Amino acid sequence: MTTPLAMVAFPLSIGMMIIIALLLIALLLLLVLYAIYKHRHNHYVDITHLQSIQLDSGTLFSFFQPHLISMEEVGQRGYSSMLSLTQHMIGIQPICDSVMTLWPPSFDCYNILLPNSLNIPEVILGVPGSVDIKLISLAMYASSRANECAYCTSHCCSFAVRRGVDPSILRNLLAEVSSNKKSNGNEDGSTTSSLSPKESAVIKLAYGLGTVPCSLTAETCNEVTKLFHPSQLEWLVAATSLFGMFNKLMDGLNIPLETSTYQETIDIMDTNYTLGRAAAGMIEGESTAAKAMRQPPPPTDDWTNIIAIIFHGLRPGSGAIWFERRMLSGIPTSAEECGVYLQERCGSSFSSVLHWIQHDRFRRAIVYVIGKNFVSDNLPLKLKVQVGLGYCDILQNAVVAGALKEVLTFVEKERAHHEKSIEVEALILKVGKALSYAPSRVAPEMVKSLHSSENVTPAMIVELVTFLAVLQTLHRITSFQIVQKECRV
């Protein structure tokens, strides 16, 4: 009796499919291993070198300099994958990490807000429906330039070029903003811009939200509303709001710009870019030859970089996703539940911020950073809120101020017995006022007072700056909502 051909072919085809599948898995593993091997080196400024540089003693960074935490220790604290992810995105593990970890909640908020505001990894992978990463990059750069944060501007320049943004767009960004302001009165909306309509609109949106006070116009709001789906527009506002936090952190903490980042971006940015006293600290400490040295522009992402980003995001036990799940455990999802969560803990539901947010991951990240900062730790919450109310006056944001007043009432009624006054309240209020401006106006004599005080710790100042940084994030979210409402009237 002969065996039908189909009965022989069927098991052979299954076997071949299994072999092919195994070969494909093996090939994928080899590609992952190669990508990890290629990007195996960690790039950061050695703490010993950084502490040996004679920085301007009048900058706030000098107050943190003796206490900096090494990158090795930061990695050992469970942040190794987060450090690697940052390096893949901007080419270096930045100095700011060594400062923010002086008050651990600051670094936790930084690492939670970043991927959940930029929609990583979807935006890196170009998942359908996500915003073009080049547009996100422009939003980051334009808002940082508007806020006059030299540190963030240089790093956002590096990020943008690595994502494929044409360097000429970054170099001419201020001219583009100026040109757009002049053309706002044109009846046909025409401009001499060489940018696409979406690129031009994103630059105007992010720049307007980045200035203090907000200068976003109804015309720009109408423009972006027409060009982008509401879901995509939220991600653009989220990216700009993320850098509300980062701009205040880096400028407020006076983080000096890394020499390598300076050397690879200075010729790409506009000629009006200046380091400022704080960001120039490390560059000024270098030799004349090092100051004049230039490095090639940041390389554009290749497939190995994208695979490495995915690996460090999914890495079992210590990857970004595992870190996020651990940190966000207990944070609700819906806007209503999040409002109740914050009302019980902080005394305000922050509904003016949360009701507009559509994306769950962005909402939960915002709730997390609010919850982490609206507490009494090294500084009494009442004192932080008092500084925050002064900051809202400078921002000209009555919406955020309203939420702070609710928190203040809650603290005075419900938690008065938990609030302890500290001996240096007057100094903290003075420093907080100076930190509220962009750029920071912390004067050398204030820094001298911090150095001489026995009761002010580096953790206190990092906590204070982080609190203000969170407020600037909320400010940018609510500022867009305010202008958007005006457009609908």
Side-chain angles (χ1 to χ4, degrees):
M1 182 178 178
T2 59
T3 305
L5 181 60
M7 294 180 65
V8 176
F10 183 75
L12 288 177
S13 63
I14 291 292
M16 287 300 294
M17 288 174 64
I18 292 174
I19 292 173
I20 291 172
L22 291 174
L23 288 174
L24 289 174
I25 292 172
L27 177 61
L28 180 60
L29 288 173
L30 286 174
L31 292 175
V32 171
L33 290 172
Y34 173 75
I36 295 170
Y37 178 79
K38 181 181 178 181
H39 299 282
R40 67 191 182 280
H41 297 298
N42 293 324
H43 301 288
Y44 53 82
V45 179
D46 182 71
I47 293 302
T48 304
H49 172 63
L50 188 58
Q51 291 178 327
S52 68
I53 296 176
Q54 290 295 111
L55 297 176
D56 184 346
S57 61
T59 64
L60 192 54
F61 185 78
S62 66
F63 182 61
F64 308 118
Q65 198 176 3
H67 310 281
L68 297 174
I69 297 174
S70 70
M71 288 299 179
E72 291 86 353
E73 184 176 341
V74 174
Q76 290 169 3
R77 292 184 180 186
Y79 299 104
S80 59
S81 284
M82 309 306 295
L83 295 176
S84 297
L85 275 174
T86 303
Q87 179 174 310
H88 287 306
M89 289 190 281
I90 60 174
I92 194 170
Q93 296 173 12
I95 291 172
C96 60
D97 295 0
S98 296
V99 180
M100 286 187 288
T101 42
L102 292 172
W103 187 58
S106 178
F107 198 47
D108 288 340
C109 291
Y110 168 93
N111 283 301
I112 285 297
L113 204 56
L114 190 150
N116 290 292
S117 299
L118 298 185
N119 195 28
I120 294 173
E122 287 86 344
V123 71
I124 297 289
L125 299 175
V127 173
S130 60
V131 184
D132 185 345
I133 185 63
K134 294 181 183 179
L135 295 177
I136 293 290
S137 302
L138 285 177
M140 293 161 53
Y141 182 83
S143 60
S144 297
R145 193 68 183 87
N147 206 243
E148 299 183 61
C149 177
Y151 187 87
C152 287
T153 299
S154 183
H155 277 293
C156 287
C157 174
S158 177
F159 181 96
V161 174
R162 291 171 192 276
R163 310 290 93 79
V165 173
D166 183 347
S168 66
I169 295 177
L170 306 177
R171 191 176 299 115
N172 298 315
L173 184 132
L174 285 189
E176 193 65 41
V177 170
S178 177
S179 174
N180 279 317
K181 285 179 180 178
K182 293 176 183 177
S183 65
N184 273 341
N186 292 358
E187 292 182 4
D188 61 356
S190 62
T191 72
T192 58
S193 172
S194 60
L195 301 177
S196 71
K198 285 189 174 182
E199 289 171 335
S200 178
V202 167
I203 288 174
K204 289 187 287 183
L205 168 71
Y207 198 92
L209 288 175
T211 58
V212 174
C214 171
S215 60
L216 178 65
T217 64
E219 291 81 4
T220 296
C221 188
N222 278 326
E223 189 176 349
V224 293
T225 301
K226 292 175 183 177
L227 288 170
F228 296 98
H229 185 276
S231 174
Q232 295 180 319
L233 182 54
E234 182 180 319
W235 286 125
L236 291 168
V237 174
T240 306
S241 301
L242 167 71
F243 275 82
M245 180 176 185
F246 287 8
N247 296 161
K248 180 56 65 180
L249 276 170
M250 309 314 158
D251 177 67
L253 296 172
N254 281 184
I255 306 295
L257 182 63
E258 300 83 2
T259 302
S260 61
T261 303
Y262 172 81
Q263 291 173 342
E264 71 178 11
T265 60
I266 185 60
D267 291 334
I268 298 175
M269 296 181 289
D270 61 271
T271 54
N272 291 323
Y273 171 85
T274 56
L275 281 169
R277 188 164 58 103
M282 189 172 178
I283 312 300
E284 291 301 321
E286 299 287 356
S287 65
T288 302
K291 292 178 189 177
M293 189 181 298
R294 296 291 183 266
Q295 293 187 15
T300 304
D301 282 344
D302 61 14
W303 66 268
T304 62
N305 196 56
I306 293 174
I307 284 182
I309 289 174
I310 295 172
F311 170 77
H312 288 294
L314 300 177
R315 194 175 177 183
S318 61
I321 289 179
W322 296 88
F323 175 84
E324 181 179 315
R325 285 181 177 177
R326 186 171 68 253
M327 293 292 104
L328 297 184
S329 176
I331 303 292
T333 301
S334 72
E336 183 178 354
E337 290 175 331
C338 286
V340 172
Y341 177 90
L342 291 176
Q343 183 72 48
E344 293 175 348
R345 288 161 177 76
C346 311
S348 174
S349 65
F350 290 88
S351 59
S352 56
V353 177
L354 300 180
H355 83 275
W356 176 81
I357 300 175
Q358 304 173 49
H359 297 290
D360 291 344
R361 66 179 305 194
F362 181 43
R363 183 189 304 112
R364 295 182 76 216
I366 290 294
V367 170
Y368 175 84
V369 299
I370 292 174
K372 279 289 183 180
N373 283 272
F374 279 77
V375 294
S376 295
D377 196 349
N378 299 285
L379 295 174
L381 178 56
K382 182 178 179 179
L383 178 60
K384 291 194 287 187
V385 171
Q386 288 172 336
V387 174
L389 286 169
Y391 183 35
C392 286
D393 289 340
I394 293 170
L395 294 173
Q396 296 180 19
N397 192 313
V399 176
V400 176
L404 289 181
K405 289 174 182 177
E406 291 176 353
V407 174
L408 187 60
T409 300
F410 175 76
V411 170
E412 291 175 341
K413 287 184 177 180
E414 305 294 332
R415 297 190 175 178
H417 59 287
H418 293 299
E419 292 285 304
K420 296 180 180 179
S421 61
I422 55 176
E423 296 180 5
V424 290
E425 282 192 9
L427 179 57
I428 294 297
L429 287 169
K430 186 177 181 180
V431 172
K433 178 73 172 180
L435 286 167
S436 298
Y437 293 93
S440 167
R441 297 183 184 178
V442 175
E445 59 267 22
M446 296 183 198
V447 178
K448 184 177 180 181
S449 297
L450 293 174
H451 279 290
S452 60
S453 174
E454 296 181 355
N455 298 309
V456 179
T457 65
M460 283 182 177
I461 303 303
V462 175
E463 181 179 349
L464 178 63
V465 176
T466 305
F467 183 79
L468 293 175
V470 172
L471 295 187
Q472 183 153 267
T473 290
L474 303 183
H475 162 67
R476 292 189 184 179
I477 295 172
T478 54
S479 293
F480 178 77
Q481 294 177 49
I482 292 168
V483 178
Q484 191 176 49
K485 287 180 181 177
E486 293 175 0
C487 296
R488 293 171 178 170
V489 174

